Amino acid sequence: MRRKLARIGNSRGVILSRDGLDLLGLTGGSEVELELLGHTPIVTAPEPDRAEVEAALAYLASKRERGEVYRSLAE
């Protein structure tokens, strides 16, 4: 994918398309890893924190199992 540098304040940056962000699993404000291999920049999504992933999965499982209770408590 070919991109032009965009002016961001006094700096320049590469704007990623929505498809590129989705492919990397990134959202606004996400951090990325940037490496330079000679004259080739390599941008990757950092590995997720395992504890955060496990907490998110536990929350989703709890929400799925107890969603009705949570909704009634919120009322």
Side-chain angles (χ1 to χ4, degrees), residues 11-68:
S11 301
R12 303 292 182 271
V14 176
I15 306 299
L16 299 176
S17 68
R18 170 62 57 195
D19 291 339
L21 293 172
D22 290 344
L23 182 64
L24 292 170
L26 300 173
T27 60
S30 294
E31 291 186 0
V32 296
E33 298 287 336
L34 175 63
E35 298 177 56
L36 297 175
L37 185 60
H39 290 276
T40 304
I42 301 170
V43 178
T44 57
E47 291 295 320
D49 179 10
R50 186 169 183 82
E52 286 183 26
V53 170
E54 289 174 358
L57 290 173
Y59 164 74
L60 290 173
S62 173
K63 184 177 173 185
R64 187 172 39 249
E65 293 170 9
R66 297 178 179 89
E68 298 272 334

